[in-house]
Amino acid sequence: NKIKTLTLSLAMSDPSNAMSSLVESDVNDLKQNPPPWLINIEKPIKPKYKCPETHPSPTDAKPVLENTNGDEMRVRATVRPLLRDATDFKIPPIKVELDVNINSYPSETSLPRLWIRSSLSAIESTGGGIHPKFYDAIRNSSHKGNNPIETVLWHFVHRYLRRNADFEKVKRLRFQVGDEVLANVGNWEHGTVVAIWDEGFPYRIHLHDIGQDVHAPCDMDDVIKAPPKMPSNLNNSLDDDDSWPEEAKISQASWMEDMRNWKNAYEFSKNSPEKELFDKTFQNNKWINPKVNKWLCDGCCNTPDFVEEISPNIFSFQLFTTDFCNAIISEYERCETLASQTKQLRIVRPNSMNNYGAIMKNIGFQSLIDIMQDEILAPIAAALFPIVGAELTEQHCFLVRYAPGEDLGLDMHVDESDITFNV
């Protein structure tokens, strides 16, 4: 079984006491009086490294990232996407991180920069970042929070995720079953809508000339549109802020993909016999090697004595117990069986090189892996790799299966990650 953690070092520096206290005070106010959409906000920290505006070259990385001037602080928060319409599955919370430049705080000219820690399809190629127009739009917005941190978080929930916040309107589709449409399948093909909200997609369309059904991933004119003689009642305004730029919000196609993934994960996990795997806590005493657990409980202050360096920068140690490994394998095999029996459920394979296995978040393990990353893997990575492992901001976790007649191994390759954990 392989668990791989992709990381992006995001950090901030040691600010002056006065500005640091202001940031801490603003965060504490939010913690004491949280708005309905704020699940949790953590105490600001002063990490050893800061996040640059642009990616530094390898030769400049160390001096750029070292937090020598105390310019930044970091705040992590968890927010609740707003839904006006009920769903038959649970929408998971979204984890974010804010970089606060204390030299300009609380000025609106330099707003805290937000990074998305949770897995969203819209940010898979951006390292968790949001388009710069998001911040320009905030400055022009009429909504102002009690402080810049609240302001950025409010606009993330109410504007960036507004496709979600107005889900009720998105569900009122332009076409109904029986309507004639044009579908974009690389070229425009005539078809008939035969189902709506099918397997999480807004439309299933039967193509006349090809004679097969396809799904439209979203209800937009560049994907599905009315034939020339049929009027369209498309309403491009999804909320009351028509001036909010498209680049500053999640696309409808990305949001619908995330909705399908969340529903898929929920369906896999809802009847699992391994209930503990889906709790909001990690059973350290039951699942973690006692030596590792003791080191974590003692504060991670000393060099890990349970680790053997088998080659330069390659370390080996026992992390999990047999009980935990067996539970994971059993749950994965149950999901494979479900997917083979139910066409609505799908197993997302790890990558283009492996034909067997699964991306863990897509079968319900997102919360478990997030907890594992923050509470267990992050301290170990920081101890073994003090620079690149100083912060684990995001991860890509998957399980692969090797067996006779299936995949037998993996060719030589390079992981696109700062730290990789193989189990």
Side-chain angles (χ1 to χ4, degrees), residues 183-185 194 198 203-207 210 212-216:
N184 187 353
V185 292
V194 293
D198 181 72
Y203 300 104
R204 189 171 87 241
I205 307 160
H206 180 75
L207 302 179
I210 300 177
Q212 69 182 40
D213 290 3
V214 297
H215 284 111

Side-chain angles (χ1 to χ4, degrees), residues 353-373:
M353 299 178 289
N354 291 102
N355 298 308
Y356 301 90
I359 294 178
M360 300 297 278
K361 69 178 183 181
N362 292 104
I363 56 175
F365 285 103
Q366 183 67 59
S367 295
L368 181 80
I369 302 304
D370 284 344
I371 296 170
M372 186 192 307
Q373 172 185 277

Side-chain angles (χ1 to χ4, degrees), residues 286-332:
K286 184 177 180 181
W287 295 342
I288 297 295
N289 171 14
K291 290 184 177 180
V292 179
N293 192 32
K294 183 178 185 305
W295 181 77
L296 293 169
C297 293
D298 290 344
C300 317
C301 298
N302 302 319
T303 301
D305 59 0
F306 51 83
V307 171
E308 177 188 1
E309 188 169 11
I310 59 177
S311 191
N313 288 327
I314 300 178
F315 302 91
S316 175
F317 58 96
Q318 180 188 345
L319 177 59
F320 298 126
T321 63
T322 302
D323 286 344
F324 177 75
C325 295
N326 287 339
I328 291 289
I329 294 173
S330 175
E331 179 61 18
Y332 161 71

